[in-house]
Amino acid sequence: SAPQMVFGPKLPPEVAVVLRPAYEGAARGGEPFVVGTEAELRAIWSAMLKVYGNEADARLAVARNQQVILPYINSPAVITGAHRALLQKFGAEDAAKIIRQNPGILACDPAALAATPSRDIESAASFVAAFDSLPRGAREGVPFATFALLAGTIGARLATCAGRVCGSSADWDLKGGLGVQAKAWVLAHMPM
């Protein structure tokens, strides 16, 4: 219709909801946090429709990762640029699979994405899809379990060393960092 062509596509309720003020105290005179304008959100939604090719897949992507449509985090240029980088790297079919598995990839800097090894992009998409397939309670428990694991590891090490030098720097080598080690552990223990 003519208004849609001027203002962009109609926003589905699950997309439009991000425009509600995030601070409920605004009714009492406080300053609300609003993520962006309706025009910005319509432009982002239009870009999502373009890269997903249909409204159903774009809605599913928003349901899985709402951050990708937040105007203060993302823009239409980043969404279409990231998609273009994935198309060049993987082709249409595999790029579509990756954005279905990991909608958040559409908030990545297109130049950085183009320079990222293909295997890393595929691994990240697989990890996100596996994590999202966990039952809701298990996903919500991950931050607590991570904290407990780190606190327990540090506490055990402090108790073992009891105020003295304990081991060499080689004992503490994380072989690329905690992120690399965590990813390796998850991939080793994830059913494929």
Side-chain angles (χ1 to χ4, degrees):
S1 69
Q4 278 188 327
M5 289 180 4
V6 173
F7 299 112
K10 182 175 186 321
L11 296 174
E14 64 271 29
V15 173
V17 74
V18 303
L19 290 177
R20 276 197 320 231
Y23 174 59
E24 306 223 350
R28 297 185 301 270
E31 286 294 321
F33 174 73
V34 180
V35 301
T37 67
E38 185 173 348
E40 290 171 320
L41 192 56
R42 283 181 185 273
I44 287 173
W45 180 241
S46 182
M48 292 290 285
L49 291 172
K50 179 179 179 180
V51 301
Y52 279 96
N54 64 72
E55 187 170 329
D57 286 345
R59 282 178 171 222
L60 184 58
V62 169
R64 291 190 59 216
N65 188 337
Q66 194 178 54
Q67 291 181 352
V68 78
I69 62 163
L70 298 176
Y72 68 94
I73 292 177
N74 211 357
S75 71
V78 171
I79 292 168
T80 57
H83 186 246
R84 190 170 31 261
L86 292 170
L87 287 171
Q88 291 170 350
K89 194 175 275 283
F90 295 103
E93 188 176 323
D94 288 340
K97 177 183 173 190
I98 288 168
I99 65 171
R100 280 193 310 271
Q101 289 179 312
N102 181 11
I105 199 161
L106 294 173
C108 293
D109 174 63
L113 196 55
T116 302
S118 298
R119 179 72 181 125
D120 290 354
I121 294 169
E122 292 168 323
S123 293
S126 295
F127 177 80
V128 169
F131 184 82
D132 284 350
S133 72
L134 292 173
R136 187 168 183 83
R139 280 184 285 164
E140 292 168 351
V142 168
F144 174 76
T146 302
F147 171 76
L149 178 66
L150 287 173
T153 302
I154 292 169
R157 187 68 176 185
L158 290 173
T160 302
C161 296
R164 59 185 169 80
V165 175
C166 192
S168 68
S169 62
D171 293 337
W172 287 89
D173 182 14
L174 296 176
K175 299 173 186 70
L178 286 175
V180 172
Q181 292 299 306
K183 178 182 169 187
W185 185 87
V186 167
L187 290 175
H189 293 87
M190 188 169 53
M192 293 284 188

